[in-house]
Amino acid sequence: MTGSDPEDCCRGAYAASQKDEFTQATVWDACRSGIRDAIESQLSDSQSSAVIIDGLPTVGKTRHATDIAFKLDAPVAILTHRYETRDEHLHLASEHQKTVAEIPTLDRDCPTRQGEHGSEWAERINDYRSRGASPTYLHYYLQDALPCMRDGDCPYIERWDAVESADVVVGGPAHAALDRVVDDRVVIFDEDPGTAYRTEFDANQLTSAISSFLRESDSLPIDNYLGLLAVATNESMADIQDTIRDELTDTESISQPTAAVNNEDGHAEAPTAILAHLEFGGSIVDDMGPDYYDWDDSLREQAELDYVELEDGAQVVYDRTESRVFIRRPPNLDGARAVVGLDGTPVEELWCGRLGIDDIESWRILCDDCRARYLCDVIGYTFVQTTSHVKPYSSGEYVNRRADFGVIEAVANQHETKPGIITTKSAAERLFEEPPNEPFIHTERVTRRVADVKHYGALRSSNDFVGMDVGIVIGSPHPGDRPIQITAALEGYTAVRDEEGKGTDLDYGIPERPFLRHYREHKIAQAVLRFGRTTAATVYIHTGVLPEWLAEMVTAGPDAVEIAERSEGQRAVIRALLDGGPGTASEISNREGVSIGEKQTRDWLKRLRSEGYVCRDESQPYTWSPNGLDDAPHTADVRLPELN
């Protein structure tokens, strides 16, 4: 919804023009009307495309989706990852009169899975699930033995009756794979479904699952994984290949879930992996047109991956370097009356592939200018970027404890509060759990000044930092080249790292870098906006990569921040003053743990005095004393900009 007039630049501006004010309420109105219009456009025209509502994490998408769901004449399914978000939808539903049901899950509804019948049974159920057996299948296949089915149906089974008849159902994205959840309903995905429809086999799991299945299948002419490889790569064995294809596509002769339950190494998707092996090396894409590059060959030769889409809709990527297989089964949404996704940082290519649809439209609630106006002027965000370095922290290898601790302590000092921290999981472990590998670095000095630490992977739809007025985002996430390449391959792209491009110039040869942005810049933006949300917040961003629209909102950048890491000698002087109290430079240099000489000790004392953490008397020689040194950032001297 764009145009030349200011009020036509986005839905938020248009909503504001109707009331002559740009407020949180008008932006929320724009989000609500966007969701409603996206649904109604599809209800009135079956040929209309599915829609993603591109709305920042602060515009109330969850509440609006629930309100609209109960005002529609059509039944609705709301699907979201986190149980906390499902509970929020269910709580909001209590304000309405229509019937609502939570789609049952093993975690919440099966006593056996919850451990009420012993840990052995709980672990057994978990094992079956990890091997691809569905919860409903397990309950009926194991009916005579399963403890929760002995005195009638398990609550998991019983609660499906309410789902069938409810006006609104709330569940997870995996439930979209069930026709009884999505058929004849408006389906709302609250956040990107992610890997909900994906199964991964590493080399050992792949070999075991395929060999286990083949050993139990008397009608097949091979009985192990090596035999499959021999057949699949030998053109003279085309007859055997056809025999395997015919047998594995005959659903009456092979029960996939049964194989997963009966065989210790079995998996429900083993037949899919077998079929895919027969097709690897064949044509991948045949409809891209003569002007498109040869994705088949470039994918194999440059990325060392292979791809096939099987007749049943399964999409399979094979990692040739590590013998791993990734299987994705997008849901069949043909029976849905409308499909709407809610996402703060959407990538259309990912939404289409993950939902198994050919086309999707992205409707932005706020254009870039209005995003800045909303976040900075209406909500009251202040963004400070403290470094120009990318700081790739996913592995934890490049974590800089001295600079990071210095920034945390400096922020806590400047705002006289305990900030929240968001970083990668590996960086959180390295910073706050592993003992420092340098002397005189004290983790507890930092942790006692932090409100909470979360990692990027735990943030999906999280409200843990709502209302927190100071936060720090440390380091950038990057899963590595292979996950990006595999994600791209599933969507029809060959991603190969440009060896010349690093850091902010990192590139995989795909225009506009959609998959890198998804894994890196978008996750950073989602993290930044976890703080405050509906109230003012100051967020320090300790990485050099941001989405362009967010970078434009930075109040103070790296040029306004000074970070001087403290050497081991300076840290030793700080510790000597704190432990031993005042002293001359000579006395302090001779204290335990101080390995630098008197002159260098005096230089460090002067520097600490310039920072305001040490004072001296006028005697000769000077006596140096701590002056607020307990609060000094002990690993780095950090100068932050003064904010109005």
Side-chain angles (χ1 to χ4, degrees):
M1 184 175 179
T2 59
S4 57
D5 293 334
E7 67 183 45
D8 290 335
C9 63
C10 61
R11 290 177 173 269
Y14 177 78
S17 71
Q18 304 305 296
K19 295 185 177 180
D20 294 325
E21 58 180 359
F22 191 94
T23 64
Q24 186 176 51
T26 56
V27 172
W28 280 41
D29 285 345
C31 180
R32 185 183 299 107
S33 66
I35 297 172
R36 185 188 62 244
D37 292 349
I39 294 171
E40 291 181 349
S41 68
Q42 296 175 70
L43 291 177
S44 61
D45 180 1
S46 61
Q47 301 303 311
S48 291
S49 300
V51 174
I52 313 169
I53 297 298
D54 179 354
L56 294 171
T58 63
V59 299
K61 298 186 296 293
T62 293
R63 169 173 283 279
H64 301 324
T66 308
D67 287 342
I68 290 165
F70 281 91
K71 293 175 181 176
L72 292 172
D73 292 332
V76 179
I78 301 175
L79 307 177
T80 186
H81 288 274
R82 290 170 58 92
Y83 283 118
E84 292 88 339
T85 310
R86 298 182 207 179
D87 289 340
E88 185 178 354
H89 282 293
L90 292 166
H91 173 71
L92 293 169
S94 64
E95 302 173 8
H96 301 274
Q97 298 302 313
K98 287 187 176 181
T99 57
V100 62
E102 181 178 11
I103 302 173
T105 61
L106 288 180
D107 289 343
R108 286 193 161 185
D109 299 294
C110 176
T112 304
R113 165 64 182 82
Q114 293 169 337
E116 293 184 17
H117 299 286
S119 59
E120 185 176 337
W121 260 111
E123 291 169 4
R124 186 174 171 186
I125 290 293
N126 284 341
D127 179 52
Y128 291 150
R129 284 293 291 126
S130 70
R131 291 192 275 126
S134 75
T136 300
Y137 173 85
L138 284 175
H139 278 82
Y140 286 120
Y141 184 77
L142 301 173
Q143 184 170 0
D144 295 337
L146 204 60
C148 56
M149 293 290 283
R150 289 173 186 165
D151 298 319
D153 285 345
C154 171
Y156 171 84
I157 297 297
E158 290 178 340
R159 288 170 188 168
W160 272 104
D161 291 338
V163 173
E164 303 285 351
S165 58
D167 297 312
V168 177
V169 296
V170 178
H175 290 128
L178 303 174
D179 291 344
R180 58 178 168 171
V181 169
V182 299
D183 280 359
D184 202 38
R185 289 185 181 272
V186 171
V187 182
I188 300 174
F189 290 89
D190 191 352
E191 300 294 343
D192 170 12
T195 58
Y197 314 116
R198 203 164 95 173
T199 300
E200 177 179 347
F201 293 96
D202 64 25
N204 290 332
Q205 293 166 335
L206 182 67
T207 301
S208 297
I210 288 179
S211 295
S212 176
F213 183 88
L214 292 173
R215 281 195 305 269
E216 299 297 321
S217 303
D218 295 336
S219 57
L220 293 175
I222 52 176
D223 60 6
N224 58 49
Y225 182 60
L226 292 178
L228 172 65
L229 292 181
V231 169
T233 56
N234 192 331
E235 293 181 2
S236 67
M237 295 185 177
D239 290 345
I240 297 178
Q241 294 176 13
D242 289 341
T243 298
I244 297 171
R245 288 190 187 96
D246 291 342
E247 186 69 20
L248 293 187
T249 53
D250 180 0
T251 56
E252 293 182 1
S253 65
I254 292 181
S255 174
Q256 297 179 15
T258 301
V261 173
N262 288 347
N263 305 329
E264 183 177 344
D265 295 323
H267 195 287
E269 289 287 14
T272 304
I274 293 170
L275 283 170
H277 272 74
L278 298 179
E279 311 304 331
F280 289 143
S283 177
I284 296 176
V285 175
D286 58 8
D287 61 354
M288 288 188 170
D291 296 329
Y292 203 87
Y293 67 90
D294 190 341
W295 185 56
D296 302 39
D297 291 339
S298 64
L299 183 69
R300 294 179 183 120
E301 295 172 8
Q302 297 180 42
E304 295 188 79
L305 298 172
D306 212 333
Y307 172 92
V308 65
E309 182 171 346
L310 301 176
E311 290 184 7
D312 67 351
Q315 303 159 343
V316 188
V317 168
Y318 178 54
D319 183 343
R320 293 173 172 272
T321 63
E322 298 184 14
S323 298
R324 291 186 301 163
V325 163
F326 302 83
I327 299 172
R328 184 172 70 183
R329 289 187 175 277
N332 182 357
L333 298 174
D334 291 345
R337 296 181 64 179
V339 177
V340 173
L342 311 178
D343 197 341
T345 50
V347 174
E348 292 182 18
E349 294 90 341
L350 289 175
W351 273 94
C352 281
R354 289 170 176 177
L355 296 187
I357 55 181
D358 295 330
D359 187 37
I360 197 165
E361 294 182 11
S362 182
W363 292 8
R364 293 191 69 179
I365 302 303
L366 296 170
C367 65
D368 287 353
D369 288 343
C370 288
R371 281 182 171 184
R373 189 177 173 192
Y374 174 68
L375 292 175
C376 300
D377 298 340
V378 175
I379 302 299
Y381 275 104
T382 299
F383 303 115
V384 179
Q385 191 172 11
T386 56
T387 181
S388 59
H389 298 293
V390 172
K391 297 177 73 70
Y393 271 17
S394 284
S395 68
E397 180 181 356
Y398 302 108
V399 168
N400 184 339
R401 185 180 273 110
R402 282 189 282 172
D404 297 346
F405 277 1
V407 169
I408 293 170
E409 290 190 281
V411 169
N413 283 347
Q414 178 141 318
H415 293 272
E416 298 181 341
T417 190
K418 293 182 177 181
I421 307 293
I422 297 173
T423 186
T424 69
K425 185 175 183 180
S426 295
E429 292 171 353
R430 184 79 177 270
L431 287 171
F432 303 111
E433 297 178 21
E434 296 180 10
N437 54 9
E438 297 180 78
F440 309 113
I441 293 181
H442 301 281
T443 303
E444 67 278 4
R445 277 182 61 109
V446 180
T447 55
R448 65 183 171 83
R449 311 193 68 185
V450 170
D452 196 6
V453 179
K454 297 292 182 185
H455 60 84
Y456 287 106
L459 286 179
R460 191 192 301 270
S461 301
S462 170
N463 292 323
D464 292 340
F465 290 135
V466 168
M468 185 170 289
D469 59 1
V470 179
I472 311 173
V473 175
I474 299 177
S476 66
H478 185 287
D481 291 345
R482 218 50 179 161
I484 290 176
Q485 290 177 311
I486 290 162
T487 298
L490 283 167
E491 311 310 338
Y493 293 84
T494 300
V496 179
R497 179 192 278 258
D498 179 358
E499 295 302 326
E500 299 298 320
K502 296 181 180 180
T504 55
D505 296 323
L506 181 60
D507 192 279
Y508 289 89
I510 301 172
E512 299 186 11
R513 304 188 290 185
F515 306 108
L516 176 60
R517 284 190 292 112
H518 170 74
Y519 280 108
R520 190 174 69 178
E521 281 86 343
H522 286 180
K523 290 189 183 300
I524 292 169
Q526 290 273 356
V528 167
L529 296 178
R530 291 298 157 193
F531 300 102
R533 291 177 73 83
T534 57
T535 58
T538 301
V539 185
Y540 291 83
I541 307 167
H542 198 44
T543 174
V545 283
L546 293 176
E548 291 183 7
W549 58 266
L550 183 56
E552 292 295 322
M553 302 181 203
V554 169
T555 299
D559 291 344
V561 178
E562 296 180 21
I563 302 175
E565 296 175 25
R566 300 196 193 282
S567 67
E568 181 180 329
Q570 190 178 13
R571 298 196 306 274
V573 169
I574 291 174
R575 176 50 51 199
L577 273 173
L578 289 174
D579 289 348
T584 65
S586 176
E587 291 169 344
I588 293 169
S589 68
N590 286 307
R591 288 179 182 175
E592 183 179 359
V594 179
S595 59
I596 57 177
E598 179 180 345
K599 181 181 184 303
Q600 196 171 3
T601 297
R602 184 178 295 106
D603 290 340
W604 283 130
L605 289 167
K606 290 178 181 178
R607 181 163 179 173
L608 288 169
R609 182 175 181 241
S610 71
E611 294 176 28
Y613 294 117
V614 167
C615 59
R616 71 183 188 190
D617 62 16
E618 296 304 318
S619 62
Q620 290 290 338
Y622 297 126
T623 296
W624 303 83
S625 304
N627 181 32
L629 193 58
D630 269 327
D631 294 328
H634 74 295
T635 61
D637 174 23
V638 178
R639 306 294 176 93
L640 300 174
E642 293 294 331
L643 304 173
N644 295 328

